[in-house]
């Protein structure tokens, strides 16, 4: 009898569909951000647009999510926000009405090696507001306080630094921001 390849073919098709969905989601976030940046070239307008995207979703996500481990639109929004924001702006964002913005702002300050990070951490350790969390293939709810103590679930210094370097060095990215 000939081997049954239909199971393998279905698995491959599912992987392709998941990959295409992730690429489409990333494309939509980037194009909406980039088209907004083209219409309003000021850095602050871009920061506010990215904050709005994060506020609307109220999700903190690791870089690689889903079956294919693709970068998430949430991680891209955070990374672009981090590339544009000063430490003072990130510090202000730790008081934002959105739990996701507060946690991402804290992660940004950790990334930037903010001098007074322990003071910020202490203030957020009492923050019991809920947000959604995506870590790889796992989706769950967490609090800002728990997120502050487990940022390694969403933050990887090497990949974040690498992407930020790409943004800073790539003229195409820089002209859009």
């Amino acid at each position: 009898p000939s081997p049954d390849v239909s199971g393998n073919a279905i698995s491959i098709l599912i992987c392709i569909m998941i990959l295409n969905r992730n690429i489409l989601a990333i494309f939509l976030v980037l194009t909406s951000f980039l088209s907004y940046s083209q219409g309003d070239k000021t850095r602050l307008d871009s920061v506010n647009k990215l904050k709005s995207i994060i506020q609307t979703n109220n999700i903190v996500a690791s870089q690689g999510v889903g079956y294919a481990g693709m970068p998430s639109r949430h991680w891209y929004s955070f990374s672009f926000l981090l590339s544009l924001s000063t430490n003072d702006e990130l510090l202000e964002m730790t008081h934002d009405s959105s739990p996701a913005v507060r946690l991402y702002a804290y992660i940004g300050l950790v990334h930037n090696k903010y001098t007074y990070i322990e003071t910020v951490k202490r203030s957020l350790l009492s923050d019991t507001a809920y947000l959604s969390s995506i870590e790889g293939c796992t989706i769950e709810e967490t609090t800002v306080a728990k997120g502050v103590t487990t940022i390694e679930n969403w933050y990887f210094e090497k990949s974040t630094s690498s992407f930020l370097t790409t943004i800073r060095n790539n003229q195409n990215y820089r002209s859009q921001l």
Side-chain angles (χ1 to χ4, degrees):
S2 60
D4 179 18
V5 294
S6 63
N8 288 341
I10 291 171
S11 295
I12 291 170
L13 285 174
I14 290 171
C15 288
I16 291 170
M17 288 171 46
I18 290 170
L19 181 61
N20 285 338
R21 187 192 64 184
N22 286 334
I23 290 171
L24 178 62
I26 292 164
F27 175 75
L28 291 173
V29 167
L30 291 176
T31 54
S32 67
F33 169 72
L34 295 176
S35 65
Y36 181 85
S37 294
Q38 287 175 345
D40 241 332
K41 289 275 186 193
T42 69
R43 186 190 63 78
L44 188 55
D45 286 336
S46 295
V47 166
N48 287 332
K49 178 63 177 176
L50 289 163
K51 276 177 40 183
S52 175
I53 291 169
I54 295 169
Q55 289 165 339
T56 299
N57 292 301
N58 199 36
I59 296 172
V60 64
S62 59
Q63 178 183 5
V65 298
Y67 185 75
M70 299 295 295
S72 71
R73 64 182 180 263
H74 314 290
W75 185 83
Y76 276 124
S77 295
F78 157 70
S79 297
F80 279 112
L81 182 67
L82 180 57
S83 77
L84 293 171
S85 301
T86 66
N87 278 349
D88 287 340
E89 290 166 335
L90 290 170
L91 186 60
E92 183 180 318
M93 287 180 222
T94 63
H95 301 285
D96 193 87
S97 62
S98 166
V101 170
R102 293 194 301 272
L103 184 54
Y104 271 141
Y106 172 77
I107 294 170
L109 290 168
V110 167
H111 180 78
N112 290 344
K113 297 175 179 32
Y114 180 65
T115 304
Y116 304 106
I117 195 64
E118 287 304 315
T119 303
V120 176
K121 182 177 185 176
R122 276 192 300 277
S123 88
L124 292 174
L125 283 173
S126 61
D127 190 335
T128 59
Y130 281 92
L131 64 150
S132 295
S133 161
I134 305 174
E135 305 162 40
C137 294
T138 306
I139 301 172
E140 60 187 15
E141 291 227 324
T142 191
T143 64
V144 174
K146 183 177 178 189
V148 164
T149 62
T150 58
I151 67 167
E152 67 277 359
N153 293 334
W154 309 285
Y155 170 66
F156 303 96
E157 182 178 7
K158 186 175 180 178
S159 57
T160 302
S161 294
S162 176
F163 186 69
L164 292 174
T165 299
T166 299
I167 292 171
R168 288 185 186 107
N169 294 336
N170 185 312
Q171 290 298 321
N172 291 330
Y173 281 123
R174 290 175 61 193
S175 67
Q176 299 300 321
L177 298 175

